[in-house]
Amino acid sequence: MMTSTSDSCKEGALKSNNDGVCDVNNHMLQKFTTADNEDNDTSACANCGKEGANNICNKCKQVKYCNAVCKKVHKKKHKKQCEEHVRVAAEHAAKLHDIELFKQPPPQLGDCPICFLRMPTIETGYKYQTCCGKVICCGCIHTPVFDDQGNEVDNEKCPFCRTQFPTSEEEAVEWLNRLVKKDNPIAIHNIGNYYRDGRNGYPKDHTKALELWHRAGELGYPEAYTSIGYSYDHGIGVEVDETKATDYYERAAMGGSESARHNLAATEVRAGKMKRALKHLMIAVRVGWYDSLDTIKQMYSKGYTTKEAYMKALQSYQAYLSEIKSDQRDKAAAAHDGNRYY
């Protein structure tokens, strides 16, 4: 699992910012040099000073020796310096990782390609089209179609590519496989789900599902990494591995997956790291993940966060709603609960 930065900075850091992340002094990385004297000739053996040394310390990679004997002789003298360099380097890497992890990513689905409004986050608010591979909002799917006389006609065509909707599940799967051949990542992820569940004519094969999810993730669909993380988190088809689960959840979250971000927050809550959990939850709320808003409410009621934090979360969620609301989406939601978009 990912380790968090402590509330107070350890030796080797400059200061702690408001997020509780230590600002590591980059110059300290340069302080730990390849020799104990001030000459610091990187080609010289750190023990005997002989030129042309090429046997590098396996841990810190900062000092060289002419042979294994010199390395062994110098080990005790070098140990403290070596461990300090490794510690500072690890802190620096963790800081850089957190900077990327806690950036606000763009919404993973972007805007509807027809109405150009921000896509709703919940799955009932949009639909993936197996004909053209586009994701279209519930409002545009539900929009009535009229003939040249102004009469409403049956809308059995994709509102984007105007292809007739598939007439059977088998035809829809066939179209999905055509998109797989074109490297459409959502199609690849969906076929992976079929293998995971053993449905739509596919045998239950989690190894194949993982293979497809990896491919979809590499093609830029973050939800595929969420699926992999969930598998390792719950031991579905693989051994439970919390470290791998966190790694894939983080990849998904940095790509814009709201569910992965929420799962990371749950992991931090279980570890008692409420500040880190709240940061994840706030990011998820800004892109419309209601479960995260509800979790912040529970944290506030139990005294784990402040009223100000909860109010900020409410304001963020309201801002999201103002971006996704439209009359047509409201009509779609009123017509069928399967079109609910918030």
Side-chain angles (χ1 to χ4, degrees):
M1 299 299 293
M2 178 178 62
T3 58
S4 66
T5 307
S6 62
D7 290 337
S8 61
C9 291
K10 297 179 181 179
E11 182 182 356
L14 286 178
K15 60 183 180 179
S16 177
N17 60 29
N18 292 333
D19 293 331
V21 178
C22 291
D23 290 329
V24 177
N25 188 339
N26 293 334
H27 294 294
M28 290 198 70
L29 295 177
Q30 302 169 11
K31 175 182 174 182
F32 307 113
T33 55
T34 62
D36 295 324
N37 55 53
E38 295 181 357
D39 293 334
N40 296 329
D41 185 351
T42 57
S43 67
C45 175
N47 180 58
C48 68
K50 184 179 179 180
E51 296 293 332
N54 57 15
N55 194 325
I56 302 174
C57 174
N58 296 328
K59 291 184 177 180
C60 70
K61 313 293 184 185
Q62 296 301 300
V63 298
K64 295 180 180 181
Y65 302 97
C66 53
N67 53 47
V69 174
C70 277
K71 181 187 285 189
K72 186 176 181 179
V73 170
H74 193 251
K75 181 178 180 179
K76 186 175 181 180
K77 188 176 182 181
H78 173 60
K79 182 179 179 181
K80 184 177 180 180
Q81 182 189 63
C82 179
E83 290 177 349
E84 185 68 359
H85 181 91
V86 171
R87 182 188 68 78
V88 173
E91 284 186 353
H92 185 62
K95 175 181 178 289
L96 293 178
H97 176 76
D98 275 4
I99 289 173
E100 291 301 313
L101 180 61
F102 290 112
K103 280 181 180 178
Q104 183 74 44
Q108 65 169 312
L109 293 177
D111 298 336
C112 174
I114 295 177
C115 67
F116 300 110
L117 290 177
R118 180 173 177 173
M119 195 73 72
T121 295
I122 64 172
E123 290 186 357
T124 50
Y126 59 85
K127 184 177 179 182
Y128 176 71
Q129 302 297 93
T130 56
C131 45
C132 55
K134 296 293 184 181
V135 180
I136 299 172
C137 78
C138 60
C140 291
I141 292 287
H142 185 73
T143 300
V145 176
F146 300 92
D147 61 20
D148 56 2
Q149 302 297 318
N151 301 311
E152 187 172 342
V153 297
D154 290 337
N155 185 15
E156 296 298 329
K157 294 182 179 180
C158 170
F160 186 82
C161 68
R162 308 309 299 162
T163 300
Q164 196 77 23
F165 285 135
T167 56
S168 66
E169 189 65 39
E170 292 76 13
E171 186 177 24
V173 172
E174 181 184 342
W175 291 5
L176 200 61
N177 275 300
R178 288 204 301 245
L179 291 170
V180 168
K181 293 177 181 177
K182 296 179 180 179
D183 281 341
N184 183 284
I186 299 180
I188 295 168
H189 177 257
N190 289 351
I191 295 295
N193 291 347
Y194 294 165
Y195 274 110
R196 175 197 61 198
D197 302 331
R199 59 188 172 95
N200 290 337
Y202 288 85
K204 185 172 269 191
D205 186 338
H206 208 84
T207 299
K208 185 65 176 178
L210 284 170
E211 177 188 321
L212 289 165
W213 291 338
H214 275 286
R215 181 181 165 193
E218 289 165 3
L219 287 169
Y221 187 50
E223 212 58 54
Y225 288 135
T226 306
S227 296
I228 299 173
Y230 191 86
S231 296
Y232 282 110
D233 200 2
H234 298 275
I236 302 174
V238 293
E239 293 292 327
V240 171
D241 190 322
E242 292 185 356
T243 300
K244 286 186 177 180
T246 297
D247 176 51
Y248 283 108
Y249 281 155
E250 287 182 352
R251 294 190 204 186
M254 287 187 281
S257 170
E258 308 86 4
S259 56
R261 182 73 66 178
H262 185 81
N263 290 345
L264 285 172
T267 299
E268 299 291 7
V269 168
R270 290 194 296 270
K273 300 171 183 176
M274 298 303 176
K275 288 183 179 180
R276 290 181 69 85
L278 183 61
K279 289 169 73 173
H280 281 303
L281 293 168
M282 291 296 290
I283 292 171
V285 167
R286 292 186 197 110
V287 288
W289 199 249
Y290 183 81
D291 287 351
S292 291
L293 176 63
D294 189 56
T295 300
I296 294 174
K297 180 181 178 181
Q298 294 177 40
M299 290 175 68
Y300 168 55
S301 68
K302 294 177 181 179
Y304 292 132
T305 191
T306 63
K307 180 179 179 180
E308 289 74 20
Y310 178 47
M311 292 302 296
K312 184 177 180 180
L314 284 172
Q315 292 167 359
S316 295
Y317 190 72
Q318 288 298 322
Y320 158 78
L321 291 181
S322 68
E323 290 186 46
I324 66 165
K325 280 196 171 186
S326 75
D327 290 341
Q328 190 55 47
R329 290 177 181 179
D330 287 341
K331 291 176 182 177
H336 194 281
D337 193 51
N339 294 327
R340 187 171 62 87
Y341 68 103
Y342 67 91

